[in-house]
């Protein structure tokens, strides 16, 4: 019973995170930021913009990690599951970019997809190395304890 609840929790967490990504990318209005330009320095605005761009690297990497955690809740992680998690995360990134074609003030961006891919690859590398090769790593230990 506890194992089933744990799996359900991880599945719902992943679906909720996917919904968060979708909703967050659906609501952006640059006009709402115009008020900030009068009292924030250009350096601060540039930093905020860079942070939002940098968030792409984490957003889909975290999605990849969530999917891996779902797989881990069913047992030991296999390499094909790593690939499946990466394909699902990337496919969701593509779907999100296509969805943005229909959102006012948003557009499809190859640059954003590239950032999504980088985030997924970085998270894959950390998970793969920690889980399969670095038996003493804290991340690997944490991942193996999910099983």
């Amino acid at each position: 019973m506890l194992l089933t609840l744990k799996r359900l929790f991880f599945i719902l967490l992943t679906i909720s995170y996917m919904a968060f990504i979708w909703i967050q990318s659906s609501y952006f209005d640059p006009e709402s930021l115009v008020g900030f330009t009068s009292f924030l320095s250009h350096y601060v605005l540039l930093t905020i913009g860079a942070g939002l761009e940098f968030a792409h690297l984490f957003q889909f990497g975290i999605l990849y990690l969530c999917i891996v955690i779902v797989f881990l809740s069913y047992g030991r992680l296999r390499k094909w599951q790593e690939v499946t998690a990466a394909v699902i995360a990337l496919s969701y990134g593509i779907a999100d970019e296509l969805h943005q074609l229909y959102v006012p003030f948003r557009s499809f961006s190859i640059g954003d997809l590239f950032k999504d891919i980088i985030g997924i690859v970085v998270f894959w590398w950390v998970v793969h190395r920690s889980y399969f090769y670095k038996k003493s790593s804290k991340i690997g230990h944490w991942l193996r304890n999910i099983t």
Side-chain angles (χ1 to χ4, degrees), residues 85-113:
V87 168
I88 292 169
L90 179 57
S91 297
Y92 195 72
I94 292 168
D96 186 48
E97 288 300 319
L98 289 171
H99 146 256
Q100 290 178 35
L101 284 171
Y102 303 100
V103 176
F105 307 111
R106 300 301 302 259
S107 63
F108 183 93
S109 170
I110 295 294
D112 286 351
L113 271 179

